[in-house]
Amino acid sequence: MQHGHEGLEGKDGLSLLGDVPLVAETPEECLDDETTPVGRFFVRNNGLLPEPATDAEGWTFTIDGEVERPLNLTVSELKSRFPHKTFRMVLECGGNGRSFFEPKAEGNPWTNGGVGCAEWTGVSLGDVLREAGLKNSALFTGHFGADPDKSGSFEQQAMSRGVPIAKALEEHTLLVWAMNGEPLPFIHGGPLRLIVPGWPGSLSQKWLKRIWIRDREHDGPGMTGLSYRLPVRPLAPGQDGKDVETRIIESMPVRSIVTAPADGSRHPVGTRTIDIRGAAWAGDDEVARVEVTLDGGATWTEAAMTPPRNRYDWTRWQASLPLPGDGPYEIFARATDTQGRAQPFRAANWNPNGYGCNVMHRVAVTVGQEA
Ligand SMILES: Nc1nc2c(c(=O)[nH]1)N[C@H]1C(S)=C(S)[C@@H](COP(=O)(O)O)O[C@H]1N2
Ligand SMILES: [Mo]
């Protein structure tokens, strides 16, 4: 519990990963809701928090650069001029799963809790870009927020990332003012943020002030060096990433989490069935199946899946497995995407900044033994 921590008011059960910048993840068993409540939604900042807005409706943001008609719009104008969209979509930090890499990679030691799935309401960025009129030279976006960097300076953005225009034009890429039907909370970027689903969370700029349409790949903080990039050719675990050829991370890899039972839980003597629940998602792709094992992968049982509500929603799943007797059990869940890519047993694709680790979630439980 982080009660009283500035910026984490109303958060319930998160684990603090860092104070400055403020970073907190959600233990897997706290992600058992179909829609992640705001109180359980992870928090990731790269700089300090901005001044909270006093007039949310009057918050302005700009679209400029390679457009015919630069726009300066208030939240209230966005609401009145463009069709509203609500989608339930996963937001996941690019470093989710990082702590499972061996040796340790640079960055916040996320387990599997740098993720949440909320209902986001706003307008499609594409509708607004069409109003601005994209020039033929429009290739990439650059996102700017109101937060100062770690040192409190506004000279440089804490983080400023961007996407190829095609991703910006997807219907599900939203300018968002509401989360789970309530005004977007300050800590999640209120009054206005971007949601770019399926790709690293760092693209979903909070406290959004400007989108710069560029004629080249954006080069703000978070776009260059090893930031949100992966080596083109595999590195040996621990290998120096200097001078290696890299590419920008686009879609996040397939992942599943077990949200019940909780890791470390105890179950009464004689329990002979265990109900396992969880969630799975696959970046831009879809989840084809989720399987669980209690015997280290010797046998797998396919879980029943609830179809996602819309593209980029997560898939909730459940399975009931017989238990042969009392004792300790290890549950592993493995999701596979529609291209046949499944989660590995051991962290694969080691990289210096630790992105995209989607090793299977392991949950240890005990049936019928004294503490
Ligand atoms: N303005 C701004 N937007 C930002 C960030 C930031 O530091 N500043 N962090 C990004 C990262 S790395 C992630 S994972 C998500 C986290 O969103 P959340 O804090 O609402 O969970 O916000 C993104 N948007
Ligand atoms: Mo992130």
Side-chain angles (χ1 to χ4, degrees):
M1 300 280 175
Q2 301 302 334
H3 293 297
H5 197 289
E6 198 198 342
L8 292 182
E9 300 82 7
K11 292 289 178 185
D12 174 22
L14 300 200
S15 321
L16 194 66
L17 297 185
D19 253 310
V20 183
L22 184 60
V23 185
E25 74 167 329
T26 315
E28 294 92 342
E29 69 265 27
C30 292
L31 290 170
D32 198 36
D33 298 277
E34 264 199 52
T35 304
T36 311
V38 169
R40 295 190 156 176
F41 207 94
F42 81 103
V43 173
R44 166 66 165 131
N45 296 297
N46 292 270
L48 307 185
L49 301 180
E51 280 299 310
T54 46
D55 171 17
E57 294 291 303
W59 177 272
T60 56
F61 97 105
T62 302
I63 294 187
D64 62 5
E66 306 300 311
V67 292
E68 305 291 348
R69 296 169 293 279
L71 297 176
N72 190 261
L73 294 166
T74 61
V75 167
S76 132
E77 287 170 322
L78 273 181
K79 288 183 180 174
S80 63
R81 287 177 47 184
F82 302 95
H84 294 194
K85 309 270 170 80
T86 297
F87 299 120
R88 193 170 72 183
M89 300 190 285
V90 170
L91 178 67
E92 181 177 27
C93 186
N96 200 24
R98 177 181 289 131
S99 65
F100 304 114
F101 275 124
E102 284 175 47
K104 293 278 172 246
E106 279 298 314
N108 286 294
W110 300 103
T111 63
N112 286 305
V115 68
C117 187
E119 277 176 22
W120 307 103
T121 300
V123 299
S124 294
L125 173 60
D127 287 342
V128 184
L129 291 179
R130 277 183 285 274
E131 174 97 358
L134 291 173
K135 293 186 176 169
N136 286 338
S137 50
L139 282 185
F140 228 86
T141 61
H143 312 154
F144 295 79
D147 45 334
D149 72 10
K150 271 187 269 202
S151 68
S153 161
F154 289 92
E155 306 267 289
Q156 190 180 256
Q157 289 279 302
M159 165 147 285
S160 176
R161 306 203 56 235
V163 290
I165 286 295
K167 183 68 181 173
L169 290 174
E170 274 188 13
E171 187 193 4
H172 292 79
T173 297
L174 298 183
L175 295 165
V176 163
W177 59 75
M179 181 178 183
N180 295 346
E182 302 289 332
L184 182 63
F186 168 69
I187 196 65
H188 295 298
L192 188 69
R193 80 175 300 165
L194 261 175
I195 290 290
V196 181
W199 291 26
S202 50
L203 292 162
S204 295
Q205 195 84 27
K206 304 196 277 188
W207 311 294
L208 184 69
K209 289 306 288 178
R210 176 185 179 209
I211 296 181
W212 180 21
I213 304 300
R214 304 204 57 182
D215 61 2
R216 65 196 69 183
E217 197 171 290
H218 185 49
D219 53 2
M223 293 301 291
T224 54
L226 288 170
S227 292
Y228 299 98
R229 302 179 78 96
L230 288 172
V232 171
R233 282 172 294 277
L235 295 184
Q239 192 182 327
D240 188 339
K242 268 200 235 81
D243 304 323
V244 302
E245 193 189 337
T246 60
R247 61 166 180 86
I248 293 181
I249 303 171
E250 298 193 336
S251 178
M252 292 289 289
V254 64
R255 189 192 305 277
S256 58
I257 53 173
V258 175
T259 61
D263 188 36
S265 59
R266 292 181 172 276
H267 302 263
V269 174
T271 302
R272 286 298 169 266
T273 306
I274 189 156
D275 294 324
I276 307 171
R277 285 193 300 276
W281 59 96
D284 279 349
D285 203 341
E286 283 165 40
V287 176
R289 65 182 171 279
V290 177
E291 297 149 295
V292 290
T293 183
L294 292 176
D295 53 19
T299 59
W300 291 94
T301 301
E302 202 162 326
M305 305 199 296
T306 307
R309 282 192 196 165
N310 49 257
R311 191 168 180 207
Y312 299 112
D313 188 15
W314 61 16
T315 297
R316 303 298 310 190
W317 56 264
Q318 75 91 32
S320 295
L321 264 56
L323 294 172
D326 289 359
Y329 290 93
E330 276 187 322
I331 304 166
F332 285 90
R334 172 176 77 183
T336 305
D337 71 18
T338 60
Q339 295 185 49
R341 296 171 295 198
Q343 294 176 263
F345 254 123
R346 291 188 137 249
N349 299 321
W350 189 93
N351 60 95
N353 282 15
Y355 299 116
C357 180
N358 65 340
V359 65
M360 280 179 234
H361 183 201
R362 168 190 180 273
V363 168
V365 300
T366 306
V367 176
Q369 287 171 349
E370 293 306 314

